[in-house]
Amino acid sequence: MEKKNLDWENMGFSYMQTDKRYVANYKDGKWDEGGLIDDANIVMNECAGVLQYSQSVFEGLKAYTTEDGRIVTFRPDLNASRMVDSAKRLEMPPFPEDRFVDAVIQVVKANAAYVPPYGSGATLYIRPYMFGINPVIGVKPADEYQFRIFTTPVGPYFKGGAKPITICVSDFDRAAPHGTGHIKAGLNYAMSLHAIVTAHANGFDENMYLDSATRTKVEETGGANFIFVTKDNKVVTPHSSTILPSITRRSIMYVAEHYLGLEVEERDVYFDEVKDFAECGLCGTAAVISPVGKIVNHGEEICLPSGMEKMGPITQKLYDTLTGIQMGHIEAPEGWIQVIE
Ligand code: PLP
Ligand code: COI
């Protein structure tokens, strides 16, 4: 299969329309058989549930070209099950997990020409999503839903790739206790837009959100979880019921312990102790592992000892091992790699 003639090395994280997308519809209490289509546009009623009351959930994962030329994805079963959790929380009918994985395989296969070549630094981002599509005017769940997956080739989420970024402690809250912070609902991202525009306007790359109940604990950013490294090389990540359970973070913690022999801790991380860490990184599908060099809290700067030039040594080891597993040159734990073709 011939690859598209794209500038793979210089891609940013933006949308590019690819050839095929997957669509399935839920009506009269069941999902239809679904399939691939060409049309990237969606026609829906003006009163569709998603347009009026934001009933939508989504996922994000990537397809990679391995060193030996295969196309693979990383732990799509975990995206499938997280989407079930998200759907249930918003009173939507879950899309069956085995069908989710099968749909991912179909849509990546159909867009194989857009999967960036090995070593280009780009990947094919896969965006499954689901929304209420029939008219809803009283506040209640829709009766009809659409599940879709599109793909788009992407480069690094943060400009500058592996260069450490500067983030600020946000004055806005991302998630309330007992709210929706632990699921991947579009509404969590809508309410973060003002915060991210404000952060960018003030010269920061991202926000660090604190827990909204006490504003003493580190939660996550708008699109990634945190990992920290202590001065004695322990990998620490915040434990919280109001953050998204990142698949990348869960994988990194496993890699840290089982591949690198490091001590790991998932626990409350108080903002007051951040100044004592040696390294900090953001982790997620889009972010991969993006190093943080500086954290600013109302003018007060915390400069991580790892500096502003490159990733800290432990972050680099985690990055190399995780991406090595994803790109197929380090052996993956059982079940982590789904071969597409
Ligand atoms: N936290 C938030 C708010 C996110 O949007 C994402 C992205 O999916 C993550 C964390 C990272 O999750 P994952 O590693 O599963 O992509
Ligand atoms: C992802 O990493 O897949 C996400 O959904 C995060 C988003 C901010 C792009």
Side-chain angles (χ1 to χ4, degrees):
M1 170 268 324
E2 208 177 312
K3 293 281 175 196
K4 298 283 171 184
N5 184 20
L6 300 173
D7 187 6
W8 308 108
E9 275 78 15
N10 295 304
M11 286 185 163
F13 195 87
S14 54
Y15 173 73
M16 175 188 295
Q17 191 173 312
T18 56
D19 293 341
K20 301 279 182 189
R21 61 274 308 125
Y22 180 91
V23 184
N25 287 291
Y26 181 89
K27 197 175 175 177
D28 300 329
K30 55 182 189 304
W31 289 101
D32 69 11
E33 70 179 30
L36 296 171
I37 62 162
D38 293 329
D39 193 355
N41 298 301
I42 301 169
V43 176
M44 67 178 89
N45 187 272
E46 60 193 354
C47 199
V50 63
L51 298 180
Q52 300 311 321
Y53 303 123
S54 299
Q55 202 184 13
S56 80
V57 297
F58 71 101
E59 272 303 324
L61 65 162
K62 284 174 171 171
Y64 309 85
T65 304
T66 61
E67 207 167 4
D68 59 3
R70 291 170 304 151
I71 296 176
V72 302
T73 58
F74 185 67
R75 312 189 78 179
D77 51 319
L78 298 189
N79 295 96
S81 75
R82 190 169 65 187
M83 198 168 190
V84 167
D85 295 340
S86 298
K88 285 182 176 164
R89 180 63 177 79
L90 292 197
E91 292 294 337
M92 304 166 88
F95 192 71
E97 293 178 44
D98 54 339
R99 289 195 55 192
F100 178 106
V101 174
D102 177 59
V104 166
I105 294 170
Q106 283 189 46
V107 79
V108 173
K109 248 188 206 165
N111 293 297
Y114 292 91
V115 182
Y118 176 77
S120 64
T123 51
L124 188 74
Y125 187 69
I126 306 164
R127 172 52 64 86
Y129 59 114
M130 199 174 118
F131 49 92
I133 197 165
N134 68 297
V136 170
I137 194 69
V139 177
K140 67 178 178 82
D143 302 307
E144 295 173 13
Y145 294 86
Q146 195 163 92
F147 169 85
R148 295 176 78 105
I149 306 179
F150 70 78
T151 61
T152 182
V154 295
Y157 190 67
F158 294 104
K159 269 193 230 94
K163 266 270 204 222
I165 58 170
T166 300
I167 65 174
C168 63
V169 176
S170 180
D171 286 333
F172 301 100
D173 291 329
R174 177 182 174 276
H178 315 293
T180 56
H182 60 299
I183 60 158
K184 212 160 165 58
L187 56 92
N188 290 335
Y189 298 81
M191 54 69 62
S192 76
L193 297 176
H194 180 59
I196 192 67
V197 169
T198 305
H200 288 163
N202 291 329
F204 301 109
D205 297 297
E206 248 297 355
N207 282 300
M208 169 185 272
Y209 291 104
L210 302 180
D211 74 293
S212 61
T214 70
R215 298 191 68 81
T216 58
K217 289 182 271 186
V218 176
E219 292 255 288
E220 60 175 329
T221 70
N225 282 180
F226 277 105
I227 48 165
F228 297 97
V229 181
T230 64
K231 288 184 177 139
D232 58 355
N233 293 347
K234 206 180 282 173
V235 182
V236 178
T237 193
H239 175 79
S240 166
S241 59
T242 53
I243 65 175
L244 191 77
S246 159
I247 294 161
T248 313
R249 184 254 298 161
R250 286 181 263 166
S251 306
I252 289 169
M253 297 306 271
Y254 184 91
V255 160
E257 192 175 357
H258 299 280
Y259 281 63
L260 302 176
L262 299 169
E263 247 185 273
V264 296
E265 275 180 2
E266 186 179 347
R267 59 163 170 85
D268 286 344
V269 174
Y270 287 89
F271 183 71
D272 280 352
E273 62 180 305
V274 169
K275 62 181 186 331
D276 301 323
F277 287 122
E279 300 175 35
C280 171
L282 309 185
C283 62
T285 298
V288 192
I289 305 179
S290 301
V292 175
K294 197 191 281 186
I295 303 168
V296 182
N297 183 22
H298 298 103
E300 206 176 301
E301 293 189 351
I302 297 173
C303 297
L304 277 300
S306 46
M308 294 304 291
E309 285 309 311
K310 56 182 177 34
M311 285 190 194
I314 298 291
T315 308
Q316 186 72 56
K317 276 191 190 161
L318 291 168
Y319 179 92
D320 290 345
T321 314
L322 179 73
T323 56
I325 289 171
Q326 291 168 333
M327 304 286 173
H329 53 84
I330 295 178
E331 192 170 343
E334 177 85 34
W336 279 24
I337 298 297
Q338 170 76 55
V339 178
I340 305 266
E341 60 178 39

